[in-house]
Amino acid sequence: MSEKPAQPRHPESIRLNSSQPGKAPPRKLALRPYARAVGQVLKVSFKASPGAVIMKVAGSLISATLPLVTTYFAALTTTALAAGYAGDSDAGPRAILYVIITAALGLFWGAFSSVDRYIQQLMSFKVGAIVGDMMYQRFLALEFWRYDDKETVDLYDRAKRFSDSYARVLDRIAAIFTQFVSVVLAIGALLLVSWWIAVIVLVAIVPSVYLQFKLSREQIAHWNTQVDSRRQRRMIEQNLLRPQHIAEMRLYGIVGYLMDLRSRLRDADERRRLDFQKRYIPKQLAADSLQYGAEVVSLIWVVGQIIARAQPVGQFLYVQQIVSRALSTANSLVSSLSSIDEDLANLKDYELFMALPVPSGKEKPLPASPNTVELRDIRFSYTGSDIEVIKGISMTIRAGQHIAIVGENGAGKSTLIRILAGLYRPDSGQVLLDGVDLTTIDVTSWHRHLAVLSQEFLKYEFATAAENIYLGDVDQPRDDDRIRRAASDAEAMEFINKLPNGLENHVSNWMEDPRGRKGSGLSGGQWQRLAMARNFYRDASFMVMDEPTSAIDALAEHRIFTRLFADRSSTIIAISHRLATIEKADIVYMLEDGRIAEQGTHKELVALRGRYFRMFESQLSVDETSQNSP
Ligand SMILES: Nc1ncnc2c1ncn2[C@@H]1O[C@H](COP(=O)(O)OP(=O)(O)OP(=O)(O)O)[C@@H](O)[C@H]1O
């Protein structure tokens, strides 16, 4: 098992995940995978919106060609004007015709651009939504152990980066296509004038392309070494921005400390990025000079040609425009290529992530709620750890039985519940539902009979009080009578009635309903009652409650559990540290270090005067302690 770092005593002792150059080799995309990645992006986009992709290609071609055509007509206009100036009487109408053609082209481009902008936005939205949704679905369907697995989470981070920027990647691909066609057309147009001018321009472009690629590769390598440090920063930011955390952070006076930690992580990351850029400045200047040199040589050549009357006057404008267009578009092409280089490298991670196996859903569903649930010699250790946290536990739970699981922190109680719920698979041993191994059953059909209220219950802050309860059983239409009943059973109705809008009240200060009614924040115990109401609303035959009353006052807890345990229609498995809950159970299992240390009724275990007795001695009544004293 990877050891956790020791608890920091001194500010400096928190380990910053600093950059580790050379930790991960730079991931390179050679030409073929690059093209394949582009093809992949286009395929998904075409599936999402074929019309929009066609429009995008047409738009790219038009925007690559139109400036050249316009330049051509501008050059013809200049030549015609020079001829008119020299006395050619036909040149004037020709120049006017060229001007009108140029204006018409501009008008066409304006109209096309308006429609194109709308279509592009539509397509960005559609493909972005599809790719984002697929990513969410895959993440939420993964086998449960993967959420503990660092490699899966690292892969997810990188894949998410790609999916978040998908729409942008698509725009960049379209821009690259336009820029590429523009450069090719510009070089082609120069070839028509002079082949060696075309070659000079082409040669001047190459160093700049090379430098940009090198820079982007270094930045990708840097990005890959920074995954942990960025995650650390994100976690700090999440702590800093949650209102629930602010009270503790202020009281402990650690806001400034955490801000400083965050700044150090951010600055280390950014500083290295900027360093790369700085190192490239002299090389980039040299590459730029080469480009300017090529432009000057071309212009001197064409001036010489015009003076020698070997070329028409308009040719100066033509060559000047085309050369500068070829160079500037090539530069844009290079920066577009390098900016999607990293995104496309992440596509690989996206594909790997999307290929992670998820449960097939082909297992057979449970025909009905089981009469017995048997845990048979379960052993389990968490992913990446060789410490066994469950060491051969067996127990049988019969429908209608009320069970309590107790034990010290870390004894394995919550882990056992997760195994029973089919979230984790045991390393050995079986969970048997009416004798059938849970691994052969569609686990979602088991979940329909389970209501699990976990220690880390969810607070649906976006929703109203009623919705928080309804989320316990969304497969059925919302039933407000059931919601009220569940809220009453959890003793939540009293505080809900005091909210300005009762059940329809939002339960976060940050929310407001469409009629402008503001939400109200809840206390810890009120949130827990709401979560318990959600658990009751589910109306499942197996009710699992992992320390469900830690924030609820003792009297309310006593009333809730007396009611709950009086009802034999559902099976109850309660994990608790409170005797008031435990003593009502038919059988108590005392866990210690992943094993069942003792089992029996509360009375039997007290009489045993063993571990259970010692653990709860301070909570036992005087009668119980004295009756059993030797
Ligand atoms: N996601 C996890 N990854 C690795 N180890 C874990 C994970 N969750 C729990 N453990 C380890 O498994 C052991 C049992 O934890 P578990 O949460 O089941 O204990 P528990 O009896 O429910 O404790 P508590 O009373 O504090 O809730 C502990 O040693 C804990 O460190």
Side-chain angles (χ1 to χ4, degrees), residues 240-416:
L240 283 172
L241 295 179
R242 288 206 73 79
Q244 299 91 320
H245 299 175
I246 290 175
E248 177 172 329
M249 288 187 302
R250 279 202 194 157
L251 291 171
Y252 278 71
I254 55 169
V255 170
Y257 171 71
L258 289 182
M259 283 292 292
D260 178 52
L261 205 56
R262 171 181 166 273
S263 310
R264 276 192 284 155
L265 288 164
R266 180 200 55 204
D267 296 351
D269 192 0
E270 285 306 317
R271 211 172 301 121
R272 286 206 61 216
R273 270 176 191 272
L274 291 171
D275 280 353
F276 292 142
Q277 226 122 21
K278 202 160 100 188
R279 265 196 293 120
Y280 274 82
I281 291 176
K283 296 175 190 164
Q284 196 60 55
L285 278 176
D288 288 348
S289 308
L290 192 66
Q291 291 193 359
Y292 285 115
E295 192 167 351
V296 170
V297 168
S298 317
L299 292 181
I300 291 174
W301 174 82
V302 78
V303 166
Q305 289 279 303
I306 292 169
I307 300 290
R309 297 186 174 269
Q311 302 272 353
V313 174
Q315 203 68 307
F316 179 82
L317 183 78
Y318 183 74
V319 171
Q320 189 268 331
Q321 288 282 310
I322 303 280
V323 169
S324 95
R325 187 168 167 76
L327 294 175
S328 67
T329 318
N331 287 335
S332 314
L333 175 66
V334 167
S335 64
S336 304
L337 283 172
S338 54
S339 61
I340 65 159
D341 199 24
E342 194 175 319
D343 289 324
L344 288 179
N346 282 326
L347 171 66
K348 206 157 166 252
D349 295 312
Y350 175 78
E351 288 180 330
L352 277 176
F353 180 79
M354 293 306 283
L356 288 180
V358 291
S360 69
K362 284 187 190 137
E363 298 87 0
K364 52 182 184 304
L366 262 184
S369 177
N371 287 316
T372 58
V373 176
E374 185 189 346
L375 303 179
R376 190 181 285 173
D377 197 17
I378 302 283
R379 289 180 175 275
F380 178 77
S381 29
Y382 279 97
T383 306
S385 155
D386 43 21
I387 296 179
E388 232 179 22
V389 292
I390 303 291
K391 299 170 178 160
I393 287 188
S394 298
M395 64 170 76
T396 303
I397 303 161
R398 293 191 176 75
Q401 226 177 7
H402 295 163
I403 283 178
I405 300 179
V406 302
E408 285 175 3
N409 296 133
K413 305 178 295 292
S414 304
T415 308
L416 194 67

Side-chain angles (χ1 to χ4, degrees), residues 491 494 529 553-564:
E491 302 221 341
E494 199 182 333
R529 287 175 196 221
D553 59 90
L555 277 177
E557 178 195 335
H558 178 71
R559 289 192 300 268
I560 293 171
F561 273 93
T562 307
R563 259 197 313 274
L564 199 61

